[in-house]
Amino acid sequence: MPLQTGTALGARAIQAASDALKRLLGSRANDSAAVRDHHSHGESYHVHAAPDIVCFPHTTDEVAEIVRISAAHQVPVIPFGAGTSLEGHVNAIHGGITIDLREMNRVLRMSVEDLDATVEAGVTRLQLNKALKNTGLTFPIDPGADCTIGGMAATRASGTTAVRYGTMRENVLGLTVVLADGQIIRTGTRARKSSAGYDLTRLFVGSEGTLGVIVDATVRLHPLPEAVSAAVCAFGTMEGAVETVIATIQLGVPVARIELLDETQMEGVNRYSKTSYAVAPTLFFEFHSDSERHVADQAATVEALATEHGGHRFEWATRLEDRERLWQARHDALYAALALRPGGRPWTTDVCVPISRLAECILETKQDNRDASFPIALVGHAGDGNFHLVYVLDPDRPAELDEARRLNDRMVMRALAMGGTCSGEHGVGYGKIKYLDAEHGPALEVMRTIKRALDPDNRMNPGKMVHID
Amino acid sequence: MPLQTGTALGARAIQAASDALKRLLGSRANDSAAVRDHHSHGESYHVHAAPDIVCFPHTTDEVAEIVRISAAHQVPVIPFGAGTSLEGHVNAIHGGITIDLREMNRVLRMSVEDLDATVEAGVTRLQLNKALKNTGLTFPIDPGADCTIGGMAATRASGTTAVRYGTMRENVLGLTVVLADGQIIRTGTRARKSSAGYDLTRLFVGSEGTLGVIVDATVRLHPLPEAVSAAVCAFGTMEGAVETVIATIQLGVPVARIELLDETQMEGVNRYSKTSYAVAPTLFFEFHSDSERHVADQAATVEALATEHGGHRFEWATRLEDRERLWQARHDALYAALALRPGGRPWTTDVCVPISRLAECILETKQDNRDASFPIALVGHAGDGNFHLVYVLDPDRPAELDEARRLNDRMVMRALAMGGTCSGEHGVGYGKIKYLDAEHGPALEVMRTIKRALDPDNRMNPGKMVHID
């Protein structure tokens, strides 16, 4: 994509801020073209926009000082983690200072008794899980990419295991945040619950850097399940698959993963992962428990439900290597979608609806997409009513981008009309900012009021989440 | 308690507001002494403070109109539910208009497929569960009293089942709220998760009416467990009981209730419930599952852990009637505490700490309390690190109130020093407002900023949660 410089800032303000940042951080304040370019985008289709300078702080105090410099010179601040965001969250659309938190990557503490850990924002989820080895605990939230915990908190991420373990909303106990004026606050405590004060933790979780910079997070950990099994089952119809999901949850089967892939996505999986699954709507299941017998009971219940709703043969994966192969295939869904059109570039979008409307929302969307000029693969966290589309676009045909935009608009409006949300887990960034009015109505003005109160200069990741005049 | 009129408001403003409210609501705007007195307190020891007038709206629009009248005349608004709050939340300490939401008590909708229901704020939890009969679903949050769902949302309530099902934080999907200017907003959607916008739902959950009036709530429902069993086990030491709790959770046993009662509380239970339990630190357990075998497995695991940590004989309660007797004894803990001192009046307080510090916090507190002039019973939601004390005071000895205040101060500071919170589930009201600075430090100023932004006149339940100059 063309590099958009993005900045409408006064050159003198930028220069003064850059000088101050270099005095503070030396070579860890970098305004080379290559570094700025690298920080101009996440993994989305949005137009790249480079910051004026990128900082690599090592401490909370350095982050605070960077933000104070941004305040002194009225220059925007954009937090940056693993760069895996999908709605343009990290693109510096108004220029400014990007704070890359990847060098703040220490696991600060963990407690096996309390099932929690405090990590700096730049720690990734795989890094945390590596640090948890031999503790019997895991951080199960799995959005696919190896995101930073800070980024996951900032976008309220979730993924395949949210149906069982919740999203970042449920799994962040507390945060350290640098506010717009450079002040450092701690939200929450290490207590599992509290009724003492406004829930600032939940306010900052999902705020996408627009209210402050998350510098560390205390997260819940979970016991590694004693027993695990997994299975794949293809269905005659999409409705049958979704009905199986609904019945599973209604019966209280504590399924750990229940993932839906449509026939297009399955075709891609077979191509990319050299598998020979049926090219049909398919559910991938995983069952966890503290008891082997309970995993067997869960699986038997769900197999019976699947059969009742037109499921074909259950393919079991009880051995670790088989389970890993199965979930690798699921994890590679994006590459699998790209395998449908070699040379294609992905646009990924997601919506989330009440589960009772999921089949209807998916079928209407597939009907609406049937004449699209490009392949569209569907994969969903069906237990949450959340699904993703990957539009596989030809980068040389800009008209496809417009077509994708129209299809996406209609899908979002369909989801909202069904009582859903414009994003189940990817977030708003600037890609979905235009839908927030339709989703929230007058509540959007309350969000603006909060934004103005905590960031009166509109300096914290401006142009994301909520438009401020 | 003496009735404190509380109002420092201009008599003309009150009169004008009252006239407008009576025009709006007729006899449902009531300023009789009896009705004002009834609304001057919850169930706590705090000095009663009557509002100037009490309104009983039937619709969201009526609530909005009441709040607009409060705005026009600059008179405070205090929401009121079942009147079961424990930290003076509903006491009209600055006079004003109490909005009693008990006549807004309709279950507006429920969905068995989506496991959710939308209820008006005045619906109580038992009323909701009655409406769920024959659906296979339940609303499991159980703070003891038959609170309204609106009140539970406003105080971020939880109770015995939070260790399994979460608190109101996890179980509210969305709210309708009347803001300080009378505007009506809806927060959240019916989707199970969303990354689209600031989490206003969680901001209003636990805000105790200080940011707006909750008029309805969409809550998560849960499948009724297929299999349930319960047990009681006494321990040689408090440490043994708490270690059993920690080990249970660390092993991933999804215990539904794990309640801790100290020897004083058990003595009260025996007196009040005519039981003959050991007078020793005791755990009450409940196990839920979708599978009978899994309940048996959970129970066997926990029994082994208890034995390992000095637990005596497990007393099983698998039959419904035995379970009900057991949990009735637990539910009656407050009356049981009062049985320790006939004619006594209770002051109930709670703190919550990381579970690794629970035994230490309890033992230090018991040591600190050992010379108290009055009985002190302890009951805790041990799986959450949350425990309650009941100070059983002689109403004719005001010195005991001061003594209780000092003991409470020290317990709260002890909990904070251990990384805990001044209230796990009772809330702040005005009883615990003095601890918020110690708990939150600079984050308290962020709470004040939000309060000022959303309630610039400081008219919404003023004097609660955060002090505003």
Side-chain angles (χ1 to χ4, degrees), chain A residues 112 114 155-156 158 193-198 202 210 250 290-291 293-294 297 355-356 421 423 425 440, chain B residues 112 114 155-156 158 169 193-198 202 210 250 290-291 293-294 297 355-356 421 423 425 440:
Chain A
V112 174
D114 293 320
T155 53
R156 204 183 293 130
S158 47
K193 64 181 194 184
S194 171
S195 284
Y198 301 145
R202 249 51 56 182
T210 62
Q250 227 170 325
D290 55 314
S291 132
R293 299 200 302 183
H294 184 220
D297 286 349
I355 196 171
S356 62
T421 174
S423 178
E425 57 182 29
H440 296 294
Chain B
V112 174
D114 294 319
T155 52
R156 205 182 294 130
S158 47
R169 180 176 75 194
K193 65 182 193 182
S194 171
S195 285
Y198 302 144
R202 248 54 54 183
T210 62
Q250 227 170 321
D290 55 314
S291 133
R293 298 199 302 183
H294 184 220
D297 286 349
I355 194 170
S356 64
T421 174
S423 178
E425 56 181 30
H440 296 296

Side-chain angles (χ1 to χ4, degrees), chain A residues 19-26 28 61-63 65-66 69:
Chain A
D19 291 347
L21 292 168
K22 287 174 184 173
R23 277 194 299 276
L24 176 70
L25 299 169
R28 291 187 286 115
D61 285 339
E62 283 183 355
V63 175
E65 191 53 36
I66 295 166
I69 290 169

Side-chain angles (χ1 to χ4, degrees), chain A residues 191-215:
Chain A
R192 303 297 269 185
K193 64 181 194 184
S194 171
S195 284
Y198 301 145
D199 192 347
L200 297 184
T201 302
R202 249 51 56 182
L203 181 63
F204 284 100
V205 167
S207 66
E208 302 186 353
T210 62
L211 301 178
V213 182
I214 293 171
V215 287

Side-chain angles (χ1 to χ4, degrees), chain A residues 4-73:
Chain A
Q4 180 184 302
T5 59
T7 172
L9 300 164
R12 281 175 57 185
I14 288 292
Q15 191 57 52
S18 293
D19 291 347
L21 292 168
K22 287 174 184 173
R23 277 194 299 276
L24 176 70
L25 299 169
S27 63
R28 291 187 286 115
N30 191 322
D31 54 8
S32 73
V35 168
R36 292 171 54 224
D37 186 20
H38 175 70
H39 291 83
S40 67
H41 61 281
E43 290 186 354
S44 66
Y45 67 95
H46 302 87
V47 176
H48 295 194
D52 295 290
I53 189 164
V54 182
C55 296
F56 299 86
H58 287 176
T59 64
T60 297
D61 285 339
E62 283 183 355
V63 175
E65 191 53 36
I66 295 166
V67 176
R68 279 191 289 266
I69 290 169
S70 103
H73 302 283

Side-chain angles (χ1 to χ4, degrees), chain B residues 133-155:
Chain B
K133 212 173 166 182
N134 301 323
T135 62
L137 302 180
T138 181
F139 176 72
I141 317 300
D142 177 10
D146 188 21
C147 328
T148 61
I149 304 291
M152 289 173 69
T155 52

Side-chain angles (χ1 to χ4, degrees), chain A residues 51-369:
Chain A
D52 295 290
I53 189 164
V54 182
C55 296
F56 299 86
H58 287 176
T59 64
T60 297
D61 285 339
E62 283 183 355
V63 175
E65 191 53 36
I66 295 166
V67 176
R68 279 191 289 266
I69 290 169
S70 103
H73 302 283
Q74 290 295 302
V75 176
V77 161
I78 306 102
F80 195 100
T84 52
S85 70
L86 293 170
E87 292 293 351
H89 301 78
V90 296
N91 302 25
I93 55 178
H94 298 291
I97 306 162
T98 284
I99 303 182
D100 184 322
L101 291 142
R102 286 301 294 275
E103 296 184 14
M104 287 181 67
N105 59 3
R106 290 175 301 166
V107 175
L108 298 175
R109 51 160 292 282
M110 64 173 77
S111 165
V112 174
E113 288 192 312
D114 293 320
L115 288 83
D116 69 358
T118 302
V119 301
E120 289 183 327
V123 169
T124 72
R125 65 181 186 88
L126 294 181
Q127 184 193 344
L128 174 56
N129 276 316
K130 204 169 159 192
L132 292 172
K133 213 174 164 182
N134 301 324
T135 63
L137 302 180
T138 180
F139 177 70
I141 316 300
D142 176 9
D146 188 22
C147 328
T148 62
I149 304 290
M152 290 174 68
T155 53
R156 204 183 293 130
S158 47
T160 55
T161 60
V163 66
R164 170 70 175 264
Y165 299 99
T167 72
M168 289 302 276
R169 180 175 76 193
E170 287 79 23
N171 285 282
V172 177
L173 284 169
L175 297 167
T176 302
V177 180
V178 174
L179 301 177
D181 61 359
Q183 197 176 183
I184 299 160
I185 63 163
R186 283 171 217 284
T187 73
T189 69
R190 286 189 53 234
R192 303 297 269 185
K193 64 181 194 184
S194 171
S195 284
Y198 301 145
D199 192 347
L200 297 184
T201 302
R202 249 51 56 182
L203 181 63
F204 284 100
V205 167
S207 66
E208 302 186 353
T210 62
L211 301 178
V213 182
I214 293 171
V215 287
D216 68 50
T218 300
V219 294
R220 295 179 71 147
L221 306 173
H222 297 263
L224 272 171
E226 293 285 312
V228 178
S229 80
V232 174
C233 184
F235 287 79
T237 62
M238 183 57 80
E239 293 94 326
V242 172
E243 289 296 331
T244 302
V245 175
I246 292 176
T248 298
I249 290 174
Q250 227 170 325
L251 276 180
V253 180
V255 64
R257 289 179 157 122
I258 188 162
E259 295 283 301
L260 173 67
L261 293 82
D262 79 345
E263 60 283 3
T264 310
Q265 180 69 63
M266 289 307 296
E267 189 184 328
V269 166
N270 283 340
R271 282 197 208 177
Y272 182 80
S273 301
K274 319 285 182 222
T275 46
S276 53
Y277 292 120
V279 177
T282 299
L283 291 176
F284 283 42
F285 299 94
E286 191 162 276
F287 306 100
H288 293 178
S289 180
D290 55 314
S291 132
E292 290 282 358
R293 299 200 302 183
H294 184 220
V295 158
D297 286 349
Q298 290 182 54
T301 303
V302 174
E303 185 165 14
L305 291 172
T307 306
E308 199 177 307
H309 292 99
H312 307 321
R313 193 170 56 85
F314 249 52
E315 290 180 45
W316 288 102
T318 39
R319 290 186 312 166
L320 178 62
E321 66 198 70
D322 294 340
R323 284 208 314 274
E324 282 180 349
R325 191 170 327 118
L326 186 161
W327 289 108
Q328 192 59 46
R330 163 63 190 86
H331 262 142
D332 290 337
L334 179 64
Y335 304 107
L338 294 177
L340 297 166
R341 192 184 198 185
R345 220 166 43 79
W347 170 341
T348 309
T349 181
D350 87 306
V351 292
C352 188
V353 294
I355 196 171
S356 62
R357 310 297 296 273
L358 181 61
E360 185 186 358
C361 190
I362 287 175
L363 290 171
E364 283 186 19
T365 300
K366 288 175 74 72
Q367 176 69 13
D368 190 30
N369 291 353

Side-chain angles (χ1 to χ4, degrees), chain B residues 427-442:
Chain B
V428 176
Y430 75 95
K432 285 193 164 164
I433 202 166
K434 62 181 169 179
Y435 305 124
L436 258 61
D437 189 35
E439 178 162 338
H440 296 296

Side-chain angles (χ1 to χ4, degrees), chain B residues 71 74 180 452 455-460:
Chain B
Q74 291 295 301
R452 288 194 193 97
D455 178 24
D457 305 332
N458 191 23
R459 227 183 331 104
M460 309 307 283

